[in-house]
Amino acid sequence: MSISSERNVGDILIIDLTREKVVKREVSPETVKRYLGGRGFNSKALFDMIPGRIDPLSPENVLALGNGTFAGTALPMTSRLHISTLSPLSGILGDGNAGGEFSAMLKFAGYEQIIVTGRAQKPKYVFIEDDEVEIRDAEDLWGLTTGETVDWLRDEHGDEVSVAGIGPAGENLVRFATTMVDKYHSGARGSGAVWGSKNLKAIAVIGTKGVEPADPERFYEMAKEDIDYFNRNEFVKRIYSVIGTHYGLIQWYPSWKYFQVPLSAEELPIGLRPQDLAEYEVGRTQCFSCPLACKDVYYLPSTGEYGTASEFESIYALGSNNCVTDTEAILRMEHMADEYGMDVMTLGDTIALARLLHEKGILSREELGGVSLEWGDAEGQIELIEMTAYRRGFGNKLAEGYRNFAKLYGEEALAYCYDVKGVNRGWYEVDFINGIFTLSHATSTRGADHLRGRSWAYWENDKLMDIEAVRRMLEADLPDYRKDPVGALIYGERACTLADSLGRCKGSINSWLQAVPLVWKYPVFKGTAMLLTAFTGMEFTEKDIIDATDRIYLTEMAFNVKQGIKKKHYDVKFPPEFTATERAKAQVRRHWELVDEYLRRRGCDVETAYPARETLEELGIGYVADEIEGKEFPEWDGPVREVA
Amino acid sequence: MFVLAVIYENCTGCHLCELACSFKHHGVFDLSLSRITILTKPEVQTSVQVYCLQCQDAACERVCPVDAISRDKNGAYIINYDRCIGCRECAYACPFGAISFEVEARPIKCDLCEGEPECATVCPHDAIVYMEEKKAVRELKKAKAAGVAYGLYGGKETSEYPRKKAEEAVEYLLELVEKSGELDV
């Protein structure tokens, strides 16, 4: 079975909205070997297609949707869709990862990736049914919420259809609008606004083909072993499948009042405990091919609506960080964010920042135009969310998103902005877990982020799930991990790059045991190498996988270099009150030591943070060096705007 | 006699059974080649499972004009493809829509995998069971009874059942956290 056959790795679909043209391109086996799929394909496409600093909302921006190598197979948890673009929120690489059924459907239709370029004259949607691809009018769809959009498309094309698209927030170019899949699955970092800027409302897909591994028996045997592992795991059965990411409320110290207090399990207010949220639960669900059921389905008595996946992030960002403890109000806000198509984390953090700036007197009462920014005001927050989605009044400012929002109020406001490269993630002291925590935010190629390697670097969540497996893994691959935070982080980053490229879920509690297939049985990337060999018919070694993930990561770093990212942007942010202390200064020194070591071990120039030619050539991507070496790019300061 | 039964209250709609079924019979992951079909509406948490119930008095067997359908030792109705003429009568007659025509106009239906149904072995939530008939009926009754009891507590508005389960999960989690303090990695 050849790699580019329709039953294995599909074609790339290139949709030019300006010319309303669709082109299909085959994927070479070489490309699969070097970039795996999903995030790997996307990051390469963005680097190759976006020349330099452009307005992310201009037609020149590229929207890439990649479904991951193993999509549509019985290898569990492999139905993640990776959505990449130049982010209108940060102005650097912005990618998000969403579940649902879209990725499997796209694979069944025979495609590996969709690349959207240009801008349509009028609202459009794309309908794909196997080999047929049509660009259709979407004027009746424009203005609909994500739920209404999916229902409309299901009425038109049948219940089998899976949909990726945007709600009003994307249409209104809210800078943290998301790509929503099948109503409830969200991919963050502003890709929704890029759909909006291209006048593209949705892509609906029906796929009826099959996926046939090169060595079917071998592949299925391993996939089944993996299913069986999760089906038998006590932790999965008794915690994961019951409370999903609400696990984090007990374990991850959700922050209170704009990152001022990390809440322990004992301090968790009534209303925000997993059992309080369960009161609204009417069932559980998951993405395609996942045995876990990490998502709750909830019912809101006050509005009669159903929603899905009230995850940890929405509860901390919309709830505790804003001092809101009214359970149903938080669920309602989460559901509104899904319906309008906005990222809950940037939404919640931006509102919390606004509350703080208001408290500090940096944001005046007049500025607000009658909106309440009292801590804990749930009703006011519901109003703010709607105003943000439609860019009304003060909502027009919030819609700029975190750092861009703070910039509107000058240096004084920016001092309270705890971002890396324009993306929000709160602040942490450098010594918290060997400096990995802050380092990982600094080195993430899409701005501060917990899903680029952080949680994996110190086995945050695996310990409770399967301690024996963790011990084996560490002994085999990282015997010195305690003394080597940088090495541990690079391993974590590789694991996440791999998961995003294979289409594998990084796990609702961010664990190795889920993100990397068969890691509970074999050394870190051996199981994946065996699976890739059986699936593609090409020989994959563990080194091939490490090289592929490094190739992807360095391509992403080089993409950001072209957007003006310098070494100084690998910094760590503290609240102004803390910055001046000796303790903070010592921590900053430690942070830069770690950054230097990281850059050295990643094969980058320690002075400029550019990936070095030698490293790129070793990975067989010297052409990336040609584009950045010896070149100066204007310094990054958020997204470029064509019109000031 | 063993029967294949779906406890629909347990099904979350992950489609793993369909992938396993199509693979077992055709060596390919292809939803249209699965003998079991899961129709999902995740937003209202309902899945409908379409599969062959191996009826005592099977319409498919009765209508087949060439006697191509017969029962094997496991109680599964099996299609003899040497006889089958591809007329689709069996599919039209089946009251459950459990027979489809996909490959070269040949009908496909559940054959209970010679007594080891693949769908049941992969199902993560014990929604598909293959067990002795009396036991299966009892499991189904228990699931219905739990559903009824849950409804009596007020159903959607005040769901005691998920709350209780969440409380147990948190309790177990805290136990693990305490223990993990002693676990050195």
Side-chain angles (χ1 to χ4, degrees), chain B residues 86-132:
Chain B
C87 69
R88 298 184 177 82
E89 277 294 334
C90 54
Y92 301 143
C94 174
F96 305 102
I99 300 179
S100 40
F101 274 83
E102 295 296 340
V103 188
E104 293 159 7
R106 294 200 319 181
I108 55 173
K109 69 174 289 300
C110 172
D111 57 5
L112 294 178
C113 298
E114 294 178 356
E116 280 177 57
E118 192 69 6
C119 53
T121 68
V122 297
C123 179
H125 306 292
D126 299 324
I128 306 177
V129 295
Y130 185 64
M131 48 178 64
E132 214 280 316

Short mmCIF file of all heavy atoms in Angstrom, two decimals, chain B residues 86-132:
data_model
loop_
_atom_site.label_atom_id
_atom_site.label_comp_id
_atom_site.label_asym_id
_atom_site.label_seq_id
_atom_site.Cartn_x
_atom_site.Cartn_y
_atom_site.Cartn_z
N GLY B 86 -27.92 -10.80 -4.04
CA GLY B 86 -27.80 -9.33 -3.90
C GLY B 86 -29.10 -8.59 -4.17
O GLY B 86 -29.09 -7.48 -4.68
N CYS B 87 -30.25 -9.18 -3.79
CA CYS B 87 -31.54 -8.55 -4.11
C CYS B 87 -31.95 -7.49 -3.09
O CYS B 87 -32.89 -6.74 -3.32
CB CYS B 87 -32.62 -9.60 -4.22
SG CYS B 87 -33.03 -10.39 -2.64
N ARG B 88 -31.29 -7.45 -1.93
CA ARG B 88 -31.54 -6.45 -0.87
C ARG B 88 -32.84 -6.69 -0.09
O ARG B 88 -33.18 -5.89 0.78
CB ARG B 88 -31.58 -5.02 -1.42
CG ARG B 88 -30.27 -4.56 -2.04
CD ARG B 88 -30.36 -3.09 -2.46
NE ARG B 88 -29.11 -2.60 -2.98
CZ ARG B 88 -28.72 -2.80 -4.23
NH1 ARG B 88 -29.48 -3.48 -5.07
NH2 ARG B 88 -27.56 -2.33 -4.64
N GLU B 89 -33.56 -7.75 -0.38
CA GLU B 89 -34.81 -8.01 0.35
C GLU B 89 -34.58 -8.06 1.86
O GLU B 89 -35.37 -7.55 2.64
CB GLU B 89 -35.45 -9.35 -0.11
CG GLU B 89 -36.29 -9.24 -1.37
CD GLU B 89 -37.54 -8.39 -1.18
OE1 GLU B 89 -38.04 -8.26 -0.05
OE2 GLU B 89 -38.01 -7.83 -2.20
N CYS B 90 -33.49 -8.69 2.28
CA CYS B 90 -33.21 -8.82 3.72
C CYS B 90 -33.07 -7.45 4.37
O CYS B 90 -33.59 -7.21 5.47
CB CYS B 90 -31.98 -9.68 3.96
SG CYS B 90 -30.52 -9.11 3.08
N ALA B 91 -32.38 -6.54 3.67
CA ALA B 91 -32.17 -5.20 4.24
C ALA B 91 -33.49 -4.45 4.37
O ALA B 91 -33.74 -3.79 5.38
CB ALA B 91 -31.20 -4.42 3.37
N TYR B 92 -34.35 -4.60 3.33
CA TYR B 92 -35.64 -3.91 3.39
C TYR B 92 -36.53 -4.51 4.47
O TYR B 92 -37.30 -3.81 5.12
CB TYR B 92 -36.36 -3.99 2.03
CG TYR B 92 -35.58 -3.37 0.89
CD1 TYR B 92 -35.60 -3.94 -0.39
CD2 TYR B 92 -34.80 -2.23 1.09
CE1 TYR B 92 -34.88 -3.39 -1.43
CE2 TYR B 92 -34.08 -1.68 0.05
CZ TYR B 92 -34.12 -2.25 -1.20
OH TYR B 92 -33.40 -1.70 -2.23
N ALA B 93 -36.40 -5.80 4.69
CA ALA B 93 -37.29 -6.47 5.65
C ALA B 93 -36.87 -6.23 7.10
O ALA B 93 -37.71 -6.25 8.00
CB ALA B 93 -37.31 -7.96 5.36
N CYS B 94 -35.59 -6.02 7.33
CA CYS B 94 -35.11 -5.88 8.72
C CYS B 94 -35.76 -4.66 9.38
O CYS B 94 -35.64 -3.54 8.90
CB CYS B 94 -33.59 -5.72 8.76
SG CYS B 94 -32.97 -5.37 10.43
N PRO B 95 -36.46 -4.88 10.52
CA PRO B 95 -37.15 -3.76 11.17
C PRO B 95 -36.19 -2.78 11.85
O PRO B 95 -36.61 -1.72 12.28
CB PRO B 95 -38.04 -4.44 12.22
CG PRO B 95 -37.64 -5.85 12.29
CD PRO B 95 -36.66 -6.16 11.22
N PHE B 96 -34.92 -3.14 11.94
CA PHE B 96 -33.96 -2.30 12.67
C PHE B 96 -32.93 -1.61 11.78
O PHE B 96 -32.07 -0.88 12.25
CB PHE B 96 -33.24 -3.14 13.73
CG PHE B 96 -34.18 -3.83 14.65
CD1 PHE B 96 -34.47 -5.18 14.50
CD2 PHE B 96 -34.83 -3.11 15.65
CE1 PHE B 96 -35.37 -5.80 15.34
CE2 PHE B 96 -35.73 -3.74 16.49
CZ PHE B 96 -36.01 -5.09 16.33
N GLY B 97 -32.97 -1.88 10.50
CA GLY B 97 -31.97 -1.28 9.61
C GLY B 97 -30.58 -1.82 9.86
O GLY B 97 -29.59 -1.12 9.68
N ALA B 98 -30.50 -3.07 10.30
CA ALA B 98 -29.20 -3.61 10.71
C ALA B 98 -28.42 -4.27 9.58
O ALA B 98 -27.33 -4.78 9.79
CB ALA B 98 -29.40 -4.61 11.86
N ILE B 99 -29.00 -4.31 8.38
CA ILE B 99 -28.28 -4.90 7.25
C ILE B 99 -27.99 -3.81 6.23
O ILE B 99 -28.86 -3.03 5.88
CB ILE B 99 -29.11 -6.02 6.59
CG1 ILE B 99 -29.40 -7.12 7.62
CG2 ILE B 99 -28.39 -6.60 5.36
CD1 ILE B 99 -30.23 -8.27 7.10
N SER B 100 -26.74 -3.73 5.80
CA SER B 100 -26.44 -2.74 4.77
C SER B 100 -25.78 -3.40 3.57
O SER B 100 -25.29 -4.52 3.64
CB SER B 100 -25.57 -1.61 5.33
OG SER B 100 -24.59 -2.11 6.20
N PHE B 101 -25.78 -2.68 2.47
CA PHE B 101 -25.18 -3.16 1.23
C PHE B 101 -24.04 -2.24 0.88
O PHE B 101 -24.23 -1.10 0.53
CB PHE B 101 -26.21 -3.12 0.10
CG PHE B 101 -27.05 -4.34 0.05
CD1 PHE B 101 -28.15 -4.47 0.86
CD2 PHE B 101 -26.72 -5.37 -0.83
CE1 PHE B 101 -28.93 -5.60 0.82
CE2 PHE B 101 -27.50 -6.51 -0.88
CZ PHE B 101 -28.62 -6.63 -0.05
N GLU B 102 -22.83 -2.73 1.00
CA GLU B 102 -21.72 -1.82 0.73
C GLU B 102 -20.73 -2.38 -0.29
O GLU B 102 -20.27 -1.68 -1.16
CB GLU B 102 -20.97 -1.49 2.02
CG GLU B 102 -21.80 -0.71 3.04
CD GLU B 102 -22.24 0.68 2.56
OE1 GLU B 102 -21.63 1.22 1.64
OE2 GLU B 102 -23.22 1.19 3.14
N VAL B 103 -20.39 -3.64 -0.16
CA VAL B 103 -19.32 -4.17 -1.00
C VAL B 103 -19.89 -5.03 -2.12
O VAL B 103 -20.54 -6.05 -1.85
CB VAL B 103 -18.34 -5.03 -0.16
CG1 VAL B 103 -17.13 -5.42 -1.00
CG2 VAL B 103 -17.92 -4.27 1.07
N GLU B 104 -19.68 -4.63 -3.34
CA GLU B 104 -20.11 -5.40 -4.51
C GLU B 104 -21.54 -5.91 -4.37
O GLU B 104 -21.83 -7.08 -4.61
CB GLU B 104 -19.15 -6.58 -4.74
CG GLU B 104 -17.76 -6.11 -5.14
CD GLU B 104 -16.70 -7.18 -4.88
OE1 GLU B 104 -17.08 -8.31 -4.51
OE2 GLU B 104 -15.52 -6.86 -5.04
N ALA B 105 -22.42 -5.01 -3.92
CA ALA B 105 -23.83 -5.33 -3.77
C ALA B 105 -24.07 -6.55 -2.88
O ALA B 105 -25.04 -7.28 -3.06
CB ALA B 105 -24.49 -5.52 -5.13
N ARG B 106 -23.15 -6.77 -1.93
CA ARG B 106 -23.39 -7.88 -1.02
C ARG B 106 -23.90 -7.35 0.32
O ARG B 106 -23.39 -6.34 0.82
CB ARG B 106 -22.10 -8.66 -0.79
CG ARG B 106 -21.61 -9.35 -2.04
CD ARG B 106 -20.66 -10.48 -1.75
NE ARG B 106 -19.70 -10.18 -0.70
CZ ARG B 106 -18.77 -11.04 -0.31
NH1 ARG B 106 -18.69 -12.24 -0.88
NH2 ARG B 106 -17.94 -10.75 0.65
N PRO B 107 -24.88 -8.00 0.90
CA PRO B 107 -25.36 -7.52 2.20
C PRO B 107 -24.33 -7.80 3.28
O PRO B 107 -23.64 -8.83 3.22
CB PRO B 107 -26.63 -8.35 2.43
CG PRO B 107 -26.44 -9.58 1.60
CD PRO B 107 -25.56 -9.22 0.45
N ILE B 108 -24.22 -6.90 4.23
CA ILE B 108 -23.37 -7.21 5.38
C ILE B 108 -24.17 -7.03 6.66
O ILE B 108 -25.01 -6.14 6.77
CB ILE B 108 -22.08 -6.35 5.44
CG1 ILE B 108 -22.39 -4.85 5.39
CG2 ILE B 108 -21.12 -6.72 4.33
CD1 ILE B 108 -21.17 -3.97 5.61
N LYS B 109 -23.94 -7.93 7.60
CA LYS B 109 -24.63 -7.85 8.89
C LYS B 109 -23.78 -8.49 9.97
O LYS B 109 -22.80 -9.18 9.68
CB LYS B 109 -25.99 -8.54 8.81
CG LYS B 109 -25.92 -10.05 8.66
CD LYS B 109 -27.28 -10.71 8.72
CE LYS B 109 -27.90 -10.70 10.10
NZ LYS B 109 -27.11 -11.40 11.13
N CYS B 110 -24.16 -8.26 11.19
CA CYS B 110 -23.41 -8.79 12.33
C CYS B 110 -23.43 -10.31 12.32
O CYS B 110 -24.47 -10.94 12.19
CB CYS B 110 -24.04 -8.28 13.62
SG CYS B 110 -23.36 -9.03 15.10
N ASP B 111 -22.23 -10.91 12.49
CA ASP B 111 -22.13 -12.37 12.55
C ASP B 111 -21.62 -12.83 13.91
O ASP B 111 -21.22 -13.98 14.08
CB ASP B 111 -21.22 -12.88 11.43
CG ASP B 111 -19.84 -12.25 11.50
OD1 ASP B 111 -19.57 -11.50 12.47
OD2 ASP B 111 -19.02 -12.50 10.60
N LEU B 112 -21.63 -11.94 14.87
CA LEU B 112 -21.16 -12.20 16.23
C LEU B 112 -19.70 -12.68 16.27
O LEU B 112 -19.25 -13.25 17.27
CB LEU B 112 -22.08 -13.22 16.95
CG LEU B 112 -23.50 -12.75 17.24
CD1 LEU B 112 -24.31 -13.88 17.90
CD2 LEU B 112 -23.53 -11.51 18.13
N CYS B 113 -18.96 -12.42 15.20
CA CYS B 113 -17.53 -12.73 15.16
C CYS B 113 -17.20 -14.12 15.69
O CYS B 113 -16.27 -14.28 16.49
CB CYS B 113 -16.73 -11.68 15.93
SG CYS B 113 -16.84 -10.01 15.30
N GLU B 114 -17.97 -15.08 15.26
CA GLU B 114 -17.79 -16.47 15.71
C GLU B 114 -17.72 -16.60 17.22
O GLU B 114 -16.91 -17.35 17.78
CB GLU B 114 -16.54 -17.07 15.06
CG GLU B 114 -16.71 -17.19 13.55
CD GLU B 114 -15.46 -17.74 12.86
OE1 GLU B 114 -14.45 -17.96 13.53
OE2 GLU B 114 -15.55 -17.95 11.64
N GLY B 115 -18.57 -15.84 17.89
CA GLY B 115 -18.66 -15.98 19.34
C GLY B 115 -17.74 -15.06 20.13
O GLY B 115 -17.70 -15.14 21.36
N GLU B 116 -16.98 -14.17 19.43
CA GLU B 116 -16.15 -13.21 20.15
C GLU B 116 -16.32 -11.82 19.53
O GLU B 116 -15.43 -11.34 18.83
CB GLU B 116 -14.67 -13.61 20.09
CG GLU B 116 -14.29 -14.68 21.07
CD GLU B 116 -12.82 -15.08 20.90
OE1 GLU B 116 -11.96 -14.19 20.99
OE2 GLU B 116 -12.56 -16.27 20.64
N PRO B 117 -17.44 -11.21 19.77
CA PRO B 117 -17.70 -9.92 19.09
C PRO B 117 -16.65 -8.86 19.41
O PRO B 117 -16.41 -8.54 20.56
CB PRO B 117 -19.08 -9.51 19.63
CG PRO B 117 -19.66 -10.72 20.25
CD PRO B 117 -18.52 -11.58 20.70
N GLU B 118 -16.02 -8.36 18.35
CA GLU B 118 -14.94 -7.40 18.49
C GLU B 118 -15.42 -6.09 19.13
O GLU B 118 -14.73 -5.48 19.93
CB GLU B 118 -14.33 -7.12 17.10
CG GLU B 118 -13.03 -6.38 17.10
CD GLU B 118 -11.86 -7.20 17.66
OE1 GLU B 118 -12.04 -8.41 17.96
OE2 GLU B 118 -10.78 -6.62 17.82
N CYS B 119 -16.63 -5.67 18.79
CA CYS B 119 -17.17 -4.41 19.31
C CYS B 119 -17.22 -4.44 20.83
O CYS B 119 -16.86 -3.47 21.50
CB CYS B 119 -18.55 -4.14 18.72
SG CYS B 119 -19.72 -5.49 18.92
N ALA B 120 -17.65 -5.58 21.38
CA ALA B 120 -17.78 -5.69 22.83
C ALA B 120 -16.40 -5.64 23.51
O ALA B 120 -16.27 -5.12 24.62
CB ALA B 120 -18.51 -6.97 23.21
N THR B 121 -15.37 -6.16 22.82
CA THR B 121 -14.05 -6.18 23.47
C THR B 121 -13.42 -4.79 23.54
O THR B 121 -12.61 -4.53 24.41
CB THR B 121 -13.06 -7.14 22.78
OG1 THR B 121 -12.73 -6.62 21.49
CG2 THR B 121 -13.61 -8.54 22.64
N VAL B 122 -13.78 -3.89 22.61
CA VAL B 122 -13.15 -2.56 22.66
C VAL B 122 -14.01 -1.53 23.39
O VAL B 122 -13.50 -0.48 23.79
CB VAL B 122 -12.80 -2.00 21.26
CG1 VAL B 122 -11.77 -2.87 20.58
CG2 VAL B 122 -14.04 -1.80 20.41
N CYS B 123 -15.28 -1.79 23.58
CA CYS B 123 -16.16 -0.77 24.18
C CYS B 123 -15.63 -0.30 25.54
O CYS B 123 -15.51 -1.09 26.46
CB CYS B 123 -17.58 -1.30 24.33
SG CYS B 123 -18.67 -0.05 25.08
N PRO B 124 -15.33 1.01 25.66
CA PRO B 124 -14.72 1.50 26.90
C PRO B 124 -15.70 1.60 28.07
O PRO B 124 -15.27 1.67 29.22
CB PRO B 124 -14.24 2.91 26.53
CG PRO B 124 -14.39 3.04 25.05
CD PRO B 124 -15.44 2.08 24.65
N HIS B 125 -16.97 1.67 27.80
CA HIS B 125 -17.91 1.98 28.89
C HIS B 125 -18.90 0.85 29.17
O HIS B 125 -19.99 1.09 29.69
CB HIS B 125 -18.63 3.29 28.58
CG HIS B 125 -17.69 4.41 28.29
ND1 HIS B 125 -16.88 4.96 29.25
CD2 HIS B 125 -17.37 5.05 27.13
CE1 HIS B 125 -16.12 5.90 28.71
NE2 HIS B 125 -16.39 5.97 27.42
N ASP B 126 -18.52 -0.37 28.78
CA ASP B 126 -19.40 -1.53 28.99
C ASP B 126 -20.80 -1.29 28.45
O ASP B 126 -21.79 -1.71 29.05
CB ASP B 126 -19.48 -1.91 30.48
CG ASP B 126 -18.11 -2.28 31.04
OD1 ASP B 126 -17.33 -2.89 30.29
OD2 ASP B 126 -17.84 -1.95 32.21
N ALA B 127 -20.87 -0.58 27.35
CA ALA B 127 -22.18 -0.35 26.75
C ALA B 127 -22.57 -1.52 25.86
O ALA B 127 -23.74 -1.83 25.70
CB ALA B 127 -22.17 0.95 25.94
N ILE B 128 -21.56 -2.18 25.28
CA ILE B 128 -21.85 -3.36 24.46
C ILE B 128 -21.43 -4.58 25.25
O ILE B 128 -20.27 -4.72 25.64
CB ILE B 128 -21.05 -3.32 23.13
CG1 ILE B 128 -21.31 -2.01 22.39
CG2 ILE B 128 -21.45 -4.52 22.26
CD1 ILE B 128 -20.53 -1.85 21.11
N VAL B 129 -22.39 -5.43 25.52
CA VAL B 129 -22.07 -6.62 26.30
C VAL B 129 -22.41 -7.87 25.49
O VAL B 129 -23.32 -7.87 24.66
CB VAL B 129 -22.82 -6.66 27.65
CG1 VAL B 129 -22.36 -5.51 28.53
CG2 VAL B 129 -24.33 -6.57 27.45
N TYR B 130 -21.64 -8.90 25.70
CA TYR B 130 -21.93 -10.19 25.07
C TYR B 130 -21.96 -11.19 26.20
O TYR B 130 -20.93 -11.52 26.78
CB TYR B 130 -20.85 -10.52 24.05
CG TYR B 130 -21.12 -11.79 23.27
CD1 TYR B 130 -22.23 -11.86 22.42
CD2 TYR B 130 -20.28 -12.89 23.36
CE1 TYR B 130 -22.48 -13.01 21.68
CE2 TYR B 130 -20.53 -14.05 22.63
CZ TYR B 130 -21.64 -14.10 21.79
OH TYR B 130 -21.89 -15.24 21.07
N MET B 131 -23.16 -11.61 26.55
CA MET B 131 -23.26 -12.48 27.73
C MET B 131 -24.46 -13.41 27.62
O MET B 131 -25.28 -13.31 26.71
CB MET B 131 -23.33 -11.65 29.01
CG MET B 131 -24.33 -10.51 28.98
SD MET B 131 -24.43 -9.59 30.54
CE MET B 131 -22.81 -8.87 30.69
N GLU B 132 -24.54 -14.30 28.56
CA GLU B 132 -25.63 -15.26 28.63
C GLU B 132 -26.95 -14.48 28.67
O GLU B 132 -27.05 -13.46 29.36
CB GLU B 132 -25.44 -16.11 29.89
CG GLU B 132 -25.88 -17.54 29.77
CD GLU B 132 -27.38 -17.68 29.92
OE1 GLU B 132 -27.92 -17.04 30.84
OE2 GLU B 132 -28.00 -18.39 29.10
#
